[in-house]
Amino acid sequence: MLSRWSLVLFALLAAGPQVRAASAGENRAFDSASKDFSNGIWDRAESEFGAFRQTFTNSSRLPEAVLFQAEARFQRTNYDGAMQLLSAYQDFAGNLGDEYLFWQGQAAFEKRDFKAAADLFARLVHVFPASPRRLEAALRQANSYALRSDWGRVAQLLEQTNGVFQTAARTNLASELVSRGFLLLGEAQIAEGNIDAAQSALKAIGAAALDPELAWQRQQLFCRVSLARGRLEEAFQQSTNLPALAAASKKSYLEAETAAFQADILEQLGRTQEAIAAYQRNLGEGVPAGRQRQALLKITQLSLAQTNESPKVFAVKIAEAAQTLEKFLARAPLPDSADLALLTLGELRLRQYEAGQLANGLTGAATNALIATNYLQEAISAFERFTTNFPKSSRFGKVELDLGWCFLRSTNLPASQAAFRLAVERLPVGLDQAIAYFKLADVEYLQTNFPAAISNYQAVIDKFAVLPQARTNLLEPAFYQIIRAGLASGNLPAATNALAHLLHSFPDGFYSDRAVLLTGQAIGPQNPAGARRLFLDFAQGYPADPLLPELQLAIARTYELQNQWTNAIPQYDQWLAQFTNNPARPRAEYFRARADFEAGRETNALRAFTAFVADYPTNELAPMAQWWVADYYYSAGNFWEAEKNYQLCYQNTNWPPSELSYQAQMMAGRSAFGRQGWKDARDYFTTLALNTNCPAGVPPETFNMLRAQAFFALGDTLLAQDSTNRLADAQDAISAFNQIFYLCPSNQLAVLAWGEKANCFLTSQDYGAASNAFQMVLDSPLAAPAARSMAKVGQGVILEKLAEQKSGPERGQLLLLASNSYLDVYDGKILRDGEKADPYWKRKAGIEAARLQAEMKHPGAARRIYQDLRDPRFEDKINALQAQETEATRKD
């Protein structure tokens, strides 16, 4: 719309006298452009006045055309173009020189170049003392200072006794411009703390003559005077006139300003609920986006600021704030300020989720967990709605950061990684971006992408070390995480470099000692001495460090890694003397006992492990100590004591069932077997073999293997026990071995079971079944050389058994086949690439082959085999065979 001042100026110029008569064409061109100007067709007006200026270069109306063309540019927001045009023709403006300066000042003002605007308006006041623009220019100059918050110069300019404003005020107090000047002066004096002077300036204005907008400004400034004097109640009472004045002005922004102003006073008065209600008035349609955003933030902040209330009431406040945001977001289409609403709603839902998680942790209620999960999904929904509707919002990066947290809490690591990466890209440099880098690295670490994690932790260090909050809260854990990632990925240079920086920058930090411990433990297996130096240096530098006991234990461990048990023992002795009440004492005593055992001091170890079980019956290492005691007796052949101590491993109610407790049942059975307690051994093995309840923490495949071993041991026991019914025992053993094929068909134990099963068939004289079972062993790719040798020898035995039932050539043929079976083992024919013969079975096969060769009247072959066996016990056989050979030669 054409401004009021432009219309007045246009009318005056159009009606004024002409210096010379203009041509008809010149008038038509000027009038045509003027009509477009008065109708607000700015692009045509600019073009036509520009054409006029270029065509009628000597026209007396040229200054007018330049002015109107410049203002058309101004109306099209081409402020630089307007200023350049007016400045170029300033010296040719004639009696329009003040207008040229005025519009240059206006253009600079709209560009927000307030310094240039103030200078141009000041120049107009100084150069054109008779200009009707002089008062307005002075006020514009003052307003330019105000927008630079230079309130001292505003007050100085408007208070000058002989200045333009004060002179006008003395002669024309009812002028709107004068009223505006006093309002601006009052605001400047409030800002400068001259409260009494501000009140005097406001009282100088005749309230009755003011339009509603100026009356609103005057009343609001009176409220601010009261606020400056600390009279909150008085200020609020004065503000009760503002809604009516704002409504009368028919300017919606004043109604929004009123709501925000009153809400602020109510907040200062502590009338929180009334303040929230006032801010809610600014969530209606037509309210400027800035005021909507402020209302959303303040409603949320005030709702959540009431922390003096109980957690239950506080939860209600969060819910109310979220409900307010939901109602605001129910509009269609979404308001411009909905981006802030969605961000705030998502963060509120995230807080509700975290509160639910806390409640669930405290009470264990499944309902709390479900509610918390729902809130998390609602938070994700709000954030994703934001990213869909406001992809170019300045808050996009913050939303992605929040989304990353949400997905991390729901263990959706790929989605969390993608969100944190977008947050890194879209957030401005600052603490939030530093957090985004750190959490991106955390998620990459959790996904074992250690190189990427190291890179992003390093980015936190490189990019944000200058930020105090980042340096305080993020740099030290970033170094620590690089150490962990480097150690986990085998990147020792990255880990040790980060450790050096950590110890330099944060020598007394929270992570320094544990970083040293982790690094030393990682490098210890490859470089025990280097790890020991690292531990010793840190321990000497920080003798009061809380982790010193752990470091001292780690030093002892480095000696163990070098098998220097006699050096480890004094370290443990020193530790036990120094840290008498440390929580790690049980562990140190256990390690000390183990070191005694490894150093060959088994009696000391037995005494220490026995005492450990008595002193720390509920410690996690107590079952292992008990196991060691049982093993000691088993190795010593004291099967009664071994069995009793193995029983304690799984009967002790302090220790939950584990793989070790089931292994202890197995060893109790083996101990009973060792003392030939056949019934007890069968009971142990049967109980374990038939147990189908896999305990928590034990993998099913491991448990099945234990059961299979128990079935195997049961079969062995049945075959070994004293019995009057060997055939029945063999059949029961076959049933036990058959179970192994179901539990672990692809394990070497199944191969051994086939071999044992074949022996059972031999016992029951089922030679066909026995031969087939032995062949299963020979054909198995899992069978070791010993198993295949046993099977081949077994087939030789079967052939000999069959030969006993025959006579003549048929018997001879079977004995030859039996001998070949033994020789296949003895000569290594059954071995596969890279395998070595089993010594026991090679000897066994050689003896059987030599015996058969002698029986088949091949004394030379038999003698050579016995000689190859190199056993002095066969000397008589060798001599006898040699005599046979000599006799046979003599007869020939």
Side-chain angles (χ1 to χ4, degrees), residues 746-760:
S746 300
N747 189 278
Q748 284 195 356
L749 192 63
V751 177
L752 296 177
W754 277 113
E756 292 298 321
K757 189 175 175 181
N759 289 326
C760 291

Side-chain angles (χ1 to χ4, degrees), residues 833-855:
D833 291 345
E835 291 183 339
K836 292 183 179 180
D838 181 83
Y840 171 81
W841 286 107
K842 180 176 180 178
R843 173 183 166 81
K844 171 73 172 174
I847 292 172
E848 299 302 328
R851 176 181 57 78
L852 276 184
Q853 289 295 321
E855 183 179 337

Side-chain angles (χ1 to χ4, degrees), residues 20-67:
R20 66 169 181 81
S23 67
E26 182 180 339
N27 286 333
R28 280 195 304 274
F30 193 91
D31 291 343
S32 175
S34 299
K35 184 177 292 185
D36 289 330
F37 187 92
S38 62
N39 289 330
I41 307 174
W42 306 117
D43 54 346
R44 280 178 57 85
E46 179 188 354
S47 177
E48 291 182 0
F49 278 124
F52 181 93
R53 179 168 56 83
Q54 293 175 0
T55 303
F56 304 104
T57 56
N58 294 319
S59 172
S60 60
R61 308 189 74 174
L62 186 60
E64 300 170 60
V66 169
L67 182 60

Side-chain angles (χ1 to χ4, degrees), residues 443-526:
V443 174
E444 290 166 338
Y445 181 92
L446 291 172
Q447 296 179 100
T448 68
N449 186 356
F450 299 119
I454 290 172
S455 176
N456 282 306
Y457 286 129
Q458 191 63 48
V460 175
I461 297 164
D462 294 340
K463 295 174 180 288
F464 305 101
V466 296
L467 294 179
Q469 285 181 293
R471 181 169 182 82
T472 300
N473 300 318
L474 297 179
L475 258 63
E476 185 185 0
F479 279 125
Y480 181 66
Q481 288 297 102
I482 291 175
I483 293 167
R484 293 183 66 198
L487 296 176
S489 61
N491 188 349
L492 287 180
T496 54
N497 181 60
L499 177 63
H501 282 88
L502 177 67
L503 295 177
H504 174 76
S505 301
F506 304 95
D508 300 315
F510 179 76
Y511 295 98
S512 297
D513 49 6
R514 65 193 66 192
V516 168
L517 188 60
L518 277 178
T519 306
Q521 288 171 338
I523 67 175
Q526 292 79 33

Side-chain angles (χ1 to χ4, degrees), residues 227-267:
L227 287 174
R229 289 173 171 160
R231 300 171 183 172
L232 294 175
E233 287 289 353
E234 179 180 282
F236 182 71
Q237 289 303 316
Q238 290 171 326
S239 74
T240 56
N241 294 331
L242 294 177
L245 292 171
S249 73
K250 297 182 179 180
K251 294 186 176 178
S252 59
Y253 81 90
L254 284 184
E255 294 180 284
E257 293 293 325
T258 299
F261 186 71
Q262 288 188 304
D264 182 62
I265 298 175
L266 289 166
E267 183 181 349

Side-chain angles (χ1 to χ4, degrees), residues 275 377 415 689 691 880:
Q377 292 305 314
N691 187 351

